[in-house]
Amino acid sequence: MTLNEENVLDALRTVIDPDLGRDLVSLNMIEDIAINGKKVSFTVNLTTPACPMKEEIRDACIKAITHLVDKEAVVKPEMSSRVTGGRTSGQGDENLLKEVKNIVAVASGKGGVGKSTVSVNLAVALAQTGARVGLVDTDIYGPSIPTMFDIHDRPDITVNRKLVPLEKYGVKLLSMGFLISQDEAVVWRGPMVSSAVKQFLSETDWGELDYLILDLPPGTGDIQLTIVQSVPLTGAIIVSTPQVVALDDARKGVAMFGKVNVPVLGIIENMAYFSPPDLPDRKYHIFGKDGAKNLAEKMGVAFLGEIPIEEQLREGGDSGKPIVVENPKAASSIAITALAKRTAQQIAIRNATGEPTKKVEILYR
Ligand SMILES: Nc1ncnc2c1ncn2[C@@H]1O[C@H](COP(=O)(O)OP(=O)(O)OP(=O)(O)O)[C@@H](O)[C@H]1O
Ligand SMILES: [Mg+2]
């Protein structure tokens, strides 16, 4: 067959994105085809720079063209990405944060299970793939981000009276902790918290973002519900340990998001096991085994991955140096980088196939 644009496109029509179940051409992923003698180049725009299938898709493109069009073709796909947006859920004002493609809440039922640790490292890991990422600490009673990034400045204000997020490790950051003192915070009630969160989200100059991660306060009460309802979320991630009490609360978290029609993108099992540094192959399941994994299966949501208990991960949080930056080879870094990719993948799947979710009543304004 002759090597021309039409034949190349026909061959690429046989390459199916394994997550989205459709071919690259009908997904509008192929651009800039150039043919010069036996050389064929084109761009494949994946739905996220964190795509775990990148290499497989590249190989499949090369094979399709060499098998179906010309076996002597020298195929050079340029793998790029254009993050798809999805803010179909939630009740939030749709005009809010228009330049942000995906807003993802990180929640848990039980406190102290590692939401903030996961949020921070997930945000940095996504930024490391080349995505534009923001992170908001919505926990006004116990903000974590100032410590976990070792950043304690006050954000500047633009001439249009917008806050300028602080930036570290490639992530744009905002924390209630940058804006109000702890003494002030303790007297705030639920509705005040959610309207403050909404205000600081909308009155911040984020610029264009692929992912904005919201680190929620622990629990499934009114505060969490109102935050979730005031922002047009793409979906939520639930963090749990394998322990029964944490799982019971995680189940409540899944139910809370269900009630307000926010899709749960998946569950993460944190503190899944401990491997002593001198016995790295041994796994002690201190809080139980596979609890969150089983819960995800039972509730029909994706399991995004497990993170071991690691001293370095905790130290990284305390010293403001996220482990994915400090030690990318640590077991927890490898785990978090993989689950960041799976999260991006779930978002892309959701954006390609998800039904728009309907609005429900807002509890508080
Ligand atoms: N996998 C882990 N290995 C070791 N330490 C961890 C791990 N995950 C979290 N921690 C530590 O556990 C503590 C609680 O974590 P973190 O603050 O992230 O939880 P949280 O769910 O955000 O808490 P809160 O409910 O108070 O917001 C922190 O000291 C953190 O460093
Ligand atoms: Mg926290």
Side-chain angles (χ1 to χ4, degrees):
M1 217 186 279
T2 21
L3 204 48
N4 60 29
E5 189 167 329
E6 211 170 302
N7 291 341
V8 165
L9 274 174
D10 280 343
L12 292 175
R13 261 184 254 276
T14 66
V15 181
I16 307 291
D17 181 307
D19 292 329
L20 309 181
R22 278 169 56 198
D23 73 274
L24 305 189
V25 178
S26 75
L27 286 165
N28 283 323
M29 287 183 178
I30 307 297
E31 263 173 18
D32 304 329
I33 299 183
I35 298 168
N36 189 350
K38 293 282 177 195
K39 281 192 206 146
V40 184
S41 65
F42 50 89
T43 304
V44 183
N45 279 305
L46 299 170
T47 49
T48 168
C51 182
M53 302 290 180
K54 201 183 270 185
E55 290 314 312
E56 280 164 51
I57 294 175
R58 178 209 298 272
D59 290 348
C61 289
I62 296 172
K63 275 197 195 123
I65 294 167
T66 50
H67 288 183
L68 300 174
V69 189
D70 185 339
K71 63 178 188 313
E72 283 163 17
V74 182
V75 186
K76 297 251 182 273
E78 168 85 20
M79 304 308 278
S80 182
S81 65
R82 193 161 44 207
V83 175
T84 48
R87 305 161 22 131
T88 49
S89 66
Q91 291 63 57
D93 183 348
E94 271 145 35
N95 293 315
L96 196 69
L97 296 165
K98 277 228 174 279
E99 317 122 332
V100 178
K101 290 186 176 171
N102 296 289
I103 307 175
V104 178
V106 178
S108 74
K110 194 173 174 301
V113 295
K115 281 179 302 305
S116 301
T117 306
V118 167
S119 302
V120 164
N121 285 286
L122 173 69
V124 175
L126 284 170
Q128 285 173 336
T129 68
R132 298 165 300 178
V133 184
L135 172 63
V136 178
D137 180 358
T138 65
D139 193 341
I140 120 159
Y141 304 120
S144 305
I145 284 173
T147 305
M148 288 185 160
F149 277 88
D150 189 22
I151 188 165
H152 303 276
D153 306 327
R154 270 191 171 261
D156 284 336
I157 294 176
T158 67
V159 282
N160 308 332
R161 305 193 54 76
K162 288 213 161 192
L163 289 167
V164 182
L166 300 171
E167 195 165 339
K168 203 161 180 182
Y169 307 122
V171 178
K172 292 186 174 174
L173 302 167
L174 199 56
S175 169
M176 284 298 233
F178 299 150
L179 303 172
I180 47 168
S181 74
Q182 279 301 282
D183 301 341
E184 239 177 293
V186 287
V187 297
W188 284 33
R189 293 179 51 242
M192 278 172 82
V193 174
S194 69
S195 64
V197 168
K198 185 172 175 184
Q199 194 175 358
F200 88 42
L201 275 175
S202 57
E203 291 176 13
T204 297
D205 187 8
W206 291 104
E208 291 195 356
L209 291 182
D210 295 317
Y211 306 104
L212 180 64
I213 311 290
L214 306 186
D215 178 13
L216 294 190
T220 49
D222 288 344
I223 291 185
Q224 293 74 18
L225 203 51
T226 46
I227 293 175
V228 165
Q229 288 183 301
S230 51
V231 191
L233 289 175
T234 303
I237 295 170
I238 312 271
V239 180
S240 182
T241 64
Q243 213 177 350
V244 175
V245 281
L247 292 170
D248 286 344
D249 290 346
R251 198 174 290 118
K252 281 184 208 148
V254 174
M256 173 181 91
F257 287 109
K259 207 155 58 182
V260 292
N261 283 300
V262 172
V264 174
L265 298 166
I267 295 181
I268 291 173
E269 181 161 294
N270 188 28
M271 310 192 195
Y273 58 87
F274 176 74
S275 296
D278 44 349
L279 287 170
D281 295 329
R282 184 163 299 175
K283 289 182 178 179
Y284 292 97
H285 294 92
I286 295 174
F287 293 114
K289 191 165 184 288
D290 292 339
K293 197 188 225 166
N294 294 340
L295 177 67
E297 215 162 272
K298 218 182 278 169
M299 304 209 71
V301 298
F303 181 65
L304 298 172
E306 56 178 23
I307 307 170
I309 300 173
E310 222 170 37
E311 193 176 355
Q312 273 192 52
L313 177 57
R314 200 254 325 135
E315 278 168 3
D318 289 348
S319 63
K321 294 182 184 130
I323 193 150
V324 293
V325 175
E326 220 24 36
N327 183 4
K329 294 208 172 90
S332 56
S333 288
I334 294 169
I336 293 168
T337 303
L339 69 85
K341 290 185 179 170
R342 266 178 241 126
T343 302
Q345 191 178 21
Q346 284 303 318
I347 293 172
I349 293 173
R350 164 87 212 159
N351 291 342
T353 57
E355 296 278 304
T357 43
K358 52 181 196 293
K359 293 198 175 212
V360 297
E361 281 303 299
I362 296 178
L363 294 186
Y364 299 108
R365 267 277 186 212

